Amino acid sequence: MDWTTWSRENTDPGKAVGKPEALDGLLVIDFSYGSFAGLYASSLLAEFGARVIRVEPPEGDVARKMSPFGLEIDGTGLPYIVEGRNKEHITLNLETEEGRRIARELVKKADVFIETSPPGFMEERGFGYEALKAENEGLVYLSLHTCGRRGELAEKAKSANWACYDTTAQALSGFAWTTGIPEYFEGFPEHTKVPTKMGNWIAWYAGGTFGAFAVMAALYAREFTGKGQFIDISPAEALMNLNNYALHYYHLSGKVMERPGNIEPAAHPYCYVRCKDGMVFIAGYTDQNFQALCSIIGRPDLPEKYPTVRDRTNVDNAFAIIQEIEKFTMEKTREEIVELWLSYRGPGVTVAGEVLSPDETVKFDHWYERGALVERKEEPWGDLLIQGTVAKMTETPPRIKWVCRKVGADNESVYSEFLGLSSKEVGALREKGVI
Amino acid sequence: MEKFFDEIFSRKEALKGVRVLDITRVILGPWCATLLAELGAEVIHVEVPGTGDVLIRPVAPWGDFPRGISPGMMCANANKYFFGLDMRKEEGQEIVKELVARTDILIENFKGGTFEKWGIGYRQLREINPSLIYISMQGFGNWGPLSERPSYDAYAQGITGLAEITGFEESMATKSSAWIGDFLSGTYGAFVAMVALFYRKRTGKGQFIDISQAELLIRSMDWTWLYQKVAGKRRSRFGNRDMAVVPSCIVRTKDGFAALGAWTEREFNGLISVMGREDLSEFAPLEKRHQGAEKIYSAVEEWAKGVSTADLLEAAERGGFAAARVMNSKDIHESPHFNERRAVWKFDDPVWGDLAYPFALHLEETPGRIRWSMRPVGFDNEYVLRKVLGLSQEKVAELYEKGVVGKWDEKVPFACPPPGWDGEAGLTFKE
């Protein structure tokens, strides 16, 4: 069997059902509030089979209301529906004595605890790490907050009650500074030539990924020591780690990396250029690969004129080279350009790729075949299109078992299982505002 | 608090004893392995002798290599052992097999099927080491209609629509200058590696894992896909305004830029109070908030223009809503907060001198750490050949002779130690 066939046969997410789950048997209590860093971290663990109990206050997590233009389905916003996967959704009021008592019962049995509140919030209610550790030595406690749990900003966040936002994390990380259109670009409105946040919640997703990674490392270490630990992850720092060499280079040179638009200052051409129906990505930045690029566009004179990386990354030359490339690409569509580059068989490697809007992206069969995008109907949400799981694995593939549930949907089953409460008793707790 | 940071090096490492064979290029794979190395795994980074990784070592802003250091190589390659091995040679492939017998996790990011052709694909290697965790990372994965396509980070940002939803609608699609598709997918890869390692600890079973960079970006694009399905239209660009969390934005101040977020009713009331815009209080309830989005954002942007960033931050403390300065690398480098936390990790590297790295893995009992930076091509060959594989000096000499292993080419500056290196500093193995 050839490799492509074998790898497909053995990692097709459509065949995941029935295979073992890597995190089977782990219990995660997700106490996050108003933060998709926490929700994404618990989604990642849930995709691999951890049992995740999502705890919200009786009125629901404010994250359920975070939705583009306030769009909701049956009271829940779109992003929350996406990150509700495989989780049991219960309610609990930490502001009541009884609510706190019930929460402690749950946490005693947990392997992982996730929270995203302003520093101090959990401690004040008796749910700081030290307090929980005393009752559950193996607990892995993940704290996610823009400002972290230590340091000057954490102190400010504590005294002023700052919540964990994506935009503030993008700002602190240095990522917003290096994204966007520079002042010297011509032909763009002034107010758009500013440090720019990523369109998606990149800091929350980065923070959630780092959080899930750190939790797994702690769980692995626990296999040897039996002990859990406290983890302090800042989505701002997570994103700072993903901002290329900006910080390293400043230390070395005293130079600040500025926003370069869609041009790469360290390798050129490696940029977006205009074409007949939009933009395409073009790469051919090493000497040999630049020659390959220039042979496709029929311009063997360019490598002679700009022979080295230094020649090409020089700002003036970089623009001149783009103009030359665009003379060629402006005559062609994105599709034509991609086809042309894919058919290149000469020496060197040069890449061209289409820049698409998301409504164009969804047209590739590739994403559906590989389960990266999933169409699914689930009540009460109706027909959905959501992100699937990413890793394709032969032994323990991740999967989506259900998409999301409403506020408190799993109260009866969870409280019955963990505290032995009857549905009548659960009803009474609801009456009292405890859950 | 200081005590905690002083004690980092005396604490245990979560991945002590885990060996990773990192046969990757550019950023995606190298970064994945670096995260494992920051938590204590022994990572052997394989490059072709002579030039090393020609796709990332020459990457430097405007061709500037301060102190002879490649910024592109530096940022995704801490704490590793550098091994110069020619895998196109049969003897090179044999060495890979011998290493795999002693390896927990192999990471590669060559085109799907390449390793099979070389006789070192997953199906061959699992015969040698049945509990091997083999991670293959590409733009579009090992199979599927797009899997033949080569990719780079900026292509992934382009084809997924991430660039198209970033920036201002009245300007153009904007990619991050950071190679976010590489870095974020590499981080996800490290997470999945840990999931597989955890499973293996409990069952003894290894596996093959295929990770696509483009798919990870799709996964990270929050409400994009469901919005298109429900609203029936494409997600456009909203500049510095978050249209799901109102207000959460980046704004221009009198002297710079700041971000603020005031979503809960309490925070929102604090914000309109410090702005002196109590007239917006009708939008305080979350059910009403989105209806007022345009008015709220205009008011915030107008107010911010008239105050300094420092004043805005002070107002946020008074008002109890979150805010932050839009920081550049200088601000971060000098920030007491990030330095105190070692989120800015300054250290003395034995090969390159004083350096700074960003750092995020604050695990209390088993803290991560930065030990050293990237190294010249083949710098740790002796460590790998003599210590890990236990080969004799004669055998090692023979491998050099045949060109199966090698160090840096003196004529390729970005592959070399810095000028003035004493020939000893930083070496991990001595006879």
Side-chain angles (χ1 to χ4, degrees):
Chain A
M1 197 185 285
D2 71 90
W3 172 251
T4 313
T5 313
W6 187 89
S7 60
R8 180 172 194 147
E9 284 284 309
N10 287 278
T11 67
D12 186 341
K15 297 176 182 165
V17 176
K19 288 190 179 184
E21 294 185 279
L23 306 185
D24 194 15
L26 288 178
L27 179 63
V28 177
I29 309 283
D30 175 5
F31 256 102
S32 69
Y33 184 72
S35 165
F36 277 85
L39 291 168
Y40 184 53
S42 68
S43 280
L44 287 175
L45 299 169
E47 288 176 3
F48 285 97
R51 180 174 183 187
V52 176
I53 298 182
R54 174 83 266 275
V55 186
E56 301 173 72
E59 70 279 13
D61 183 353
V62 286
R64 282 195 191 249
K65 298 287 160 191
M66 295 173 168
S67 194
F69 314 102
L71 270 177
E72 288 179 0
I73 306 176
D74 209 359
T76 294
L78 308 183
Y80 195 93
I81 293 173
V82 171
E83 300 306 348
R85 55 189 58 189
N86 301 359
K87 302 174 192 177
E88 289 161 64
H89 298 258
I90 67 166
T91 53
L92 196 52
N93 188 352
L94 279 189
E95 304 305 319
T96 65
E97 182 66 41
E98 206 170 352
R100 289 192 289 272
R101 188 184 61 76
I102 292 172
R104 292 184 89 93
E105 288 304 313
L106 287 176
V107 175
K108 266 186 211 167
K109 301 183 175 86
D111 298 285
V112 179
F113 179 88
I114 301 176
E115 65 94 17
T116 64
S117 299
F121 181 93
M122 282 293 170
E123 284 81 358
E124 283 158 22
R125 284 153 187 78
F127 290 86
Y129 175 64
E130 292 302 326
L132 299 187
K133 178 188 171 186
E135 292 178 359
N136 179 354
E137 204 194 16
L139 187 68
V140 172
Y141 187 117
L142 172 64
S143 189
L144 281 158
H145 193 282
T146 313
C147 300
R149 299 290 149 171
R150 290 191 166 95
E152 188 184 87
L153 284 178
E155 292 305 316
K156 274 188 189 171
K158 184 177 181 178
S159 65
N161 219 351
W162 286 354
C164 169
Y165 285 94
D166 173 74
T167 48
T168 50
Q170 290 204 36
L172 288 175
S173 68
F175 211 89
W177 189 276
T178 55
T179 305
I181 300 170
E183 300 275 356
Y184 57 84
F185 272 28
E186 286 166 10
F188 298 101
E190 282 308 308
H191 71 277
T192 68
K193 299 198 273 189
V194 293
T196 305
K197 76 176 195 70
M198 294 301 288
N200 69 332
W201 288 326
I202 197 74
W204 271 343
Y205 275 80
T209 315
F210 268 79
F213 169 57
V215 162
M216 284 315 306
L219 287 171
Y220 182 72
R222 193 182 75 162
E223 292 288 299
F224 299 90
T225 65
K227 288 189 184 136
Q229 58 180 309
F230 177 71
I231 303 170
D232 171 9
I233 298 286
S234 151
E237 291 169 9
L239 197 54
M240 191 190 296
N241 271 255
L242 312 184
N243 199 18
N244 298 5
Y245 47 77
L247 180 70
H248 320 62
Y249 185 68
Y250 174 76
H251 181 87
L252 289 168
S253 70
K255 284 182 207 145
V256 171
M257 294 306 297
E258 304 287 347
R259 54 184 189 275
N262 291 324
I263 300 174
E264 168 57 60
H268 192 70
Y270 178 103
C271 54
Y272 293 170
V273 297
R274 291 174 299 169
C275 62
K276 213 174 185 175
D277 59 347
M279 290 198 287
V280 282
F281 164 67
I282 295 278
Y285 60 85
T286 65
D287 297 349
Q288 194 192 22
N289 297 348
F290 184 54
Q291 286 164 14
L293 189 165
C294 292
S295 86
I296 294 180
I297 65 170
R299 293 296 302 276
D301 57 309
L302 295 176
E304 283 166 34
K305 201 169 170 191
Y306 309 107
T308 70
V309 172
R310 203 181 267 265
D311 296 319
R312 294 189 289 275
T313 51
N314 168 292
V315 176
D316 294 332
N317 293 351
F319 277 99
I321 290 168
I322 286 177
Q323 279 182 352
E324 297 298 339
I325 295 172
E326 284 187 343
K327 280 180 193 166
F328 181 86
T329 55
M330 290 291 275
E331 300 297 317
K332 296 188 163 47
T333 64
R334 291 174 296 185
E335 204 178 331
E336 287 165 352
I337 292 165
V338 170
E339 285 303 317
L340 193 56
W341 256 256
L342 283 174
S343 65
Y344 175 74
R345 293 287 176 270
V349 180
T350 174
V351 175
E354 57 277 64
V355 177
L356 302 178
S357 64
D359 60 336
E360 294 171 312
T361 304
V362 294
K363 289 174 185 158
F364 289 105
D365 294 336
H366 187 83
W367 316 128
Y368 304 91
E369 287 183 27
R370 286 179 57 89
L373 286 173
V374 174
E375 284 178 311
R376 194 151 169 163
K377 188 179 171 74
E378 182 175 296
E379 294 313 327
W381 321 113
D383 287 314
L384 304 172
L385 173 64
I386 59 170
Q387 298 92 312
T389 57
V390 177
K392 314 293 176 264
M393 302 166 84
T394 54
E395 178 71 18
T396 59
R399 65 207 70 171
I400 299 177
K401 289 178 263 190
W402 63 88
V403 177
C404 187
R405 289 178 183 162
K406 294 178 72 168
V407 180
D410 298 293
N411 277 347
E412 290 208 6
S413 61
V414 169
Y415 289 129
S416 158
E417 180 183 344
F418 285 87
L419 289 105
L421 300 182
S422 65
S423 61
K424 207 172 167 188
E425 288 168 310
V426 172
L429 288 175
R430 190 178 297 124
E431 293 287 302
K432 282 195 283 180
V434 174
I435 65 170
Chain B
M1 181 189 319
E2 268 168 34
K3 191 162 163 282
F4 169 73
F5 290 109
D6 288 344
E7 283 180 354
I8 285 177
F9 279 93
S10 65
R11 293 191 183 230
K12 289 199 182 83
E13 292 174 288
L15 303 187
K16 184 92 184 160
V18 174
R19 182 174 289 141
V20 178
L21 191 53
D22 165 26
I23 314 182
T24 65
R25 304 168 296 174
V26 202
I27 299 290
L28 172 62
W31 174 247
C32 175
T34 293
L35 285 171
L36 301 172
E38 287 188 3
L39 290 181
E42 181 196 84
V43 176
I44 298 170
H45 182 69
V46 178
E47 288 179 285
V48 63
T51 60
D53 182 349
V54 289
L55 289 175
I56 197 65
R57 283 194 181 258
V59 170
W62 315 287
D64 177 25
F65 296 83
R67 293 191 226 152
I69 298 176
S70 159
M73 188 70 188
M74 177 195 196
C75 67
N77 284 292
N79 294 11
K80 300 179 181 179
Y81 297 89
F82 277 68
F83 185 30
L85 177 72
D86 192 342
M87 295 192 309
R88 295 162 304 191
K89 291 194 163 74
E90 209 179 309
E91 271 185 88
Q93 293 154 11
E94 287 309 312
I95 287 181
V96 169
K97 287 182 191 166
E98 282 175 38
L99 279 170
V100 162
R102 297 162 172 80
T103 287
D104 301 289
I105 302 170
L106 181 146
I107 310 171
E108 59 98 347
N109 65 345
F110 286 70
K111 192 175 173 221
T114 305
F115 271 40
E116 272 235 334
K117 260 180 257 158
W118 289 347
I120 50 172
Y122 176 68
R123 286 187 286 186
Q124 291 107 340
L125 295 181
R126 70 176 172 175
E127 299 296 323
I128 298 165
N129 179 353
S131 61
L132 180 70
I133 295 164
Y134 183 120
I135 305 178
S136 167
M137 309 179 90
Q138 279 100 19
F140 300 100
N142 277 262
W143 53 270
L146 295 175
S147 63
E148 286 297 309
R149 294 195 187 189
S151 182
Y152 278 111
D153 164 73
Y155 186 12
Q157 292 194 49
I159 195 166
T160 59
L162 180 58
E164 272 284 352
I165 63 165
T166 298
F168 292 80
E169 189 68 8
E170 58 274 35
S171 253
M172 67 170 166
T174 310
K175 72 179 184 69
S176 73
S177 66
W179 308 310
I180 189 63
D182 283 337
F183 274 105
L184 193 55
S185 308
T187 310
Y188 175 79
F191 159 69
V192 176
M194 287 311 307
V195 169
L197 196 62
F198 180 83
Y199 180 74
R200 196 188 73 162
K201 177 74 181 68
R202 294 194 159 181
T203 63
K205 287 181 183 161
Q207 56 185 316
F208 169 77
I209 303 168
D210 172 8
I211 292 173
S212 146
Q213 174 185 69
E215 288 170 20
L216 192 274
L217 284 185
I218 283 177
R219 179 68 184 89
S220 309
M221 286 166 69
D222 48 56
W223 45 266
T224 306
W225 317 108
L226 188 50
Y227 170 77
Q228 289 189 164
K229 178 80 178 175
V230 172
K233 54 184 173 187
R234 84 177 169 98
R235 175 175 180 172
S236 53
R237 294 187 291 276
F238 305 103
N240 276 327
R241 296 175 174 183
D242 188 325
M243 297 315 286
V245 188
V246 180
S248 175
C249 53
I250 289 176
V251 289
R252 188 191 282 277
T253 63
K254 216 174 0 185
D255 58 353
F257 296 90
L260 63 85
W263 175 242
T264 64
E265 207 165 320
R266 174 187 62 74
E267 294 168 297
F268 183 77
N269 284 326
L271 171 68
I272 58 176
S273 151
V274 298
M275 292 198 302
R277 289 299 304 270
E278 282 86 350
D279 58 303
L280 295 170
S281 64
E282 61 173 304
F283 301 118
L286 290 182
E287 306 77 68
K288 297 276 171 60
R289 194 68 60 76
H290 289 282
Q291 294 163 22
E294 181 55 42
K295 279 183 187 161
I296 295 165
Y297 276 126
S298 300
V300 170
E301 286 156 4
E302 201 50 44
W303 169 69
K305 255 189 255 171
V307 297
S308 68
T309 302
D311 286 346
L312 188 147
L313 295 175
E314 195 271 326
E317 282 189 68
R318 257 187 301 129
F321 58 91
R325 181 185 300 277
V326 174
M327 295 175 104
N328 63 25
S329 46
K330 178 175 188 286
D331 302 324
I332 291 166
H333 192 263
E334 292 168 357
S335 152
H337 174 74
F338 289 131
N339 277 281
E340 186 179 348
R341 288 171 58 76
R342 293 210 195 175
V344 176
W345 189 293
K346 293 170 180 162
F347 66 106
D348 205 26
D349 184 86
V351 177
W352 308 101
D354 63 294
L355 300 174
Y357 270 71
F359 178 78
L361 295 169
H362 311 290
L363 287 75
E364 193 114 14
E365 289 298 316
T366 58
R369 61 207 70 174
I370 308 285
R371 292 179 179 279
W372 61 74
S373 181
M374 61 101 172
R375 289 175 158 177
V377 176
F379 191 82
D380 303 295
N381 284 354
E382 281 64 35
Y383 177 88
V384 176
L385 296 167
R386 299 276 290 132
K387 183 150 183 251
V388 178
L389 290 177
L391 301 182
S392 68
Q393 277 178 289
E394 294 71 32
K395 178 68 185 170
V396 171
E398 185 195 322
L399 290 170
Y400 273 111
E401 188 70 23
K402 290 182 177 164
V404 176
V405 302
K407 294 185 186 287
W408 60 89
D409 180 344
E410 295 283 357
K411 295 190 291 293
V412 183
F414 56 69
C416 293
W421 178 64
D422 66 3
E424 296 246 337
L427 287 179
T428 43
F429 181 83
K430 293 193 180 87
E431 289 295 344

